[in-house]
Each structure stands twice: as structure tokens, then as C-alpha cells.
Amino acid sequence: MSKPSRGLKFCPVSNDLLYPRENKDLRRLEYFCKNCDYVQAAEPGETCVHVTELKHDAKEQTVVLQDVTADPTLPRTQQVTCPKCQHNEAVFFSASSEQGMTLYFNCMLCQHRWRDYV
């Protein structure tokens, strides 16, 4: 059994691009030409019309904003102590990776950043 192609489809009449749409009466996916009346039903198993693949490198995954202490949407905690100045209030946020979840802290007093692996 061959894998269905995800490439572009073209009208055999006008050689223009075929666009996907839902035929609500027949409850199926079909491709149509915007320049003529040509319509082609999608083959079974050909229901994927778009694929987006995101690839992130390690540098992108650990981006920390410059001034997170000024962000009112981030949660704050008084249950941690800054390893640099011993202040007990920090802004924190989390990030998940293949290694597990990581909590990032930013001290409200000295702006020191540290992380805790959960």
C-alpha cells in the first residue's frame, strides 16, 4: 500500500491549482478549480491538506525575557530564596523538555536568574 501524496494538485482542464473544500452535502473532502467547474473527490486516506513541522533548537527553548519581573501576568512566589542575595520573592515560569519540566526563577530584588529541575 503506497503512502498518499501531500503535494499540490492541479486541474486537468486549466492547469490551475486545485483548492480543498468540504462538500457538506456528501460529507467529504474535495478539490476544486477556481477558474473552471472541475471538482475532484479526495481519495480515501487523503484527508491531510496541510502539515506544519516546527523544529526548535536548544537555544530557542531556553529563551528568557529580559525584564520578567515587570510582567504582571507571570506568577510570583515567596517560597524560594535567591541564591545570590537571599531575597525571598521571585517571578517564575515553567518549560517542558525531553528531560522533564524546568522552573525558571527571577529574583525581584537583584534580578538574578536560576532554575530548578522538577
Side-chain angles (χ1 to χ4, degrees), residues 11 13-14 16 32-38:
C11 176
V13 178
S14 66
D16 289 317
F32 73 100
C33 179
K34 290 184 177 181
N35 295 318
C36 69
D37 294 330
Y38 181 77

Side-chain angles (χ1 to χ4, degrees), residues 7-73:
L8 299 174
K9 298 187 180 303
F10 295 94
C11 176
V13 178
S14 66
N15 286 329
D16 289 317
L17 186 64
L18 293 178
Y19 294 89
R21 72 175 173 200
E22 177 187 9
N23 184 327
K24 293 185 182 194
D25 295 332
L26 299 175
R27 296 186 52 130
R28 72 174 187 191
L29 177 67
E30 61 188 22
Y31 295 94
F32 73 100
C33 179
K34 290 184 177 181
N35 295 318
C36 69
D37 294 330
Y38 181 77
V39 175
Q40 171 185 327
E43 299 292 323
E46 194 180 39
T47 56
C48 180
V49 293
H50 180 77
V51 175
T52 301
E53 292 183 18
L54 299 176
K55 295 182 181 179
H56 299 282
D57 60 14
K59 191 174 186 180
E60 271 185 314
Q61 292 177 351
T62 58
V63 171
V64 178
L65 300 174
Q66 291 301 316
D67 192 19
V68 294
T69 57
D71 188 345
T73 63

Side-chain angles (χ1 to χ4, degrees), residues 81-89 107-112 114:
T81 302
C82 174
K84 185 176 178 184
C85 73
Q86 307 307 311
H87 188 67
N88 68 342
E89 186 177 10
C107 179
M108 294 293 294
L109 185 63
C110 71
Q111 308 299 317
H112 177 68
W114 72 97

